[in-house]
Amino acid sequence: MKTLQKIVIPVSLGIIGLLILNSCSVGIPKGATAVKNFNSGKYLGKWYEIARFDYKFEKDMDNVTATYSKNPDGSIKVDNKGYNYVKKEWKESIGEARFVNEETEARLKVSFFKPIWAGYNVVDIDDDYQYALVMGNSLKYLWILSRTKEIPESIRQRFLEKAKKVGYNTDELIWVRHN
């Protein structure tokens, strides 16, 4: 019995460790490039979610916003809010983002449940930091963000074309309602 325990416990811990590491993917989809010369100070503040895929953690939500602010340790506080129109209640999730490389490259990792991190890559942004296209670490995660509740058609088309070129099926996007 002791011999079995000596094998089972380390193997189990190894498998759990691999699962955690695998869930900590902070990559960027093939063919995508994060914004260079990124200004994190200009990115801070409130953003409205204009479009997304149907993620389990945002299911049945509208009026979704993300507010980014600087933490004392240099990381970025992520405060996501949205209204679940089925349960008729507001939801909020607070997380943390850190740069994968330099602060001038818009490749970040974000965590709402440490030690699990996910990729957050700003791949397109206008010069005034009013509209952003954000990709996760795979083709399952995509967001279109705006400083206002609407987005100009020209920016919408630009972002959709860029996402399609990377391989996203933009027909599956949910266009978020804001009241």
Side-chain angles (χ1 to χ4, degrees):
M1 187 65 149
K2 282 193 175 212
T3 305
L4 183 60
Q5 285 178 334
K6 286 181 181 179
I7 294 171
V8 171
I9 291 173
V11 168
S12 298
L13 289 173
I15 290 171
I16 290 169
L18 284 174
L19 289 173
I20 289 172
L21 283 175
N22 191 39
S23 70
C24 300
S25 177
V26 296
I28 186 168
K30 185 178 179 179
T33 305
V35 170
K36 306 285 189 215
N37 300 316
F38 183 68
N39 183 331
S40 62
K42 285 175 73 172
Y43 195 78
L44 299 178
K46 185 174 186 176
W47 291 87
Y48 292 89
E49 185 179 85
I50 301 299
R52 68 165 187 271
F53 286 143
D54 194 16
Y55 312 116
K56 180 172 73 172
F57 49 89
E58 287 187 277
K59 184 105 176 117
D60 300 326
M61 294 187 85
D62 57 17
N63 295 296
V64 178
T65 61
T67 303
Y68 304 102
S69 58
K70 200 81 151 183
N71 285 321
D73 68 357
S75 65
I76 296 172
K77 178 182 177 183
V78 181
D79 185 357
N80 290 346
K81 293 180 184 169
Y83 184 74
N84 184 310
Y85 52 83
V86 172
K87 295 181 179 178
K88 299 192 182 336
E89 63 184 11
W90 285 93
K91 296 283 187 178
E92 180 177 30
S93 186
I94 307 255
E96 173 186 345
R98 295 186 178 273
F99 285 90
V100 173
N101 299 314
E102 313 84 40
E103 280 194 35
T104 57
E105 181 186 15
R107 285 201 55 217
L108 296 98
K109 60 182 182 177
V110 66
S111 178
F112 292 93
F113 313 101
K114 287 184 183 174
I116 299 170
W117 294 85
Y120 181 99
N121 305 289
V122 182
V123 298
D124 198 352
I125 195 160
D126 70 299
D127 292 338
D128 297 323
Y129 282 64
Q130 297 301 299
Y131 312 104
L133 176 63
V134 179
M135 296 179 179
N137 54 289
S138 73
L139 298 181
K140 295 178 185 177
Y141 303 100
L142 182 70
W143 296 269
I144 295 176
L145 305 177
S146 173
R147 296 290 189 174
T148 62
K149 296 176 182 180
E150 297 175 357
I151 192 166
E153 186 60 27
S154 61
I155 298 288
R156 174 185 159 122
Q157 289 307 315
R158 175 173 123 187
F159 288 175
L160 291 174
E161 287 305 313
K162 183 169 262 190
K164 286 177 191 174
K165 283 182 185 174
V166 171
Y168 285 91
N169 180 358
T170 58
D171 293 337
E172 294 180 5
L173 281 170
I174 292 173
W175 296 90
V176 181
R177 287 186 359 202
H178 290 277
N179 322 28

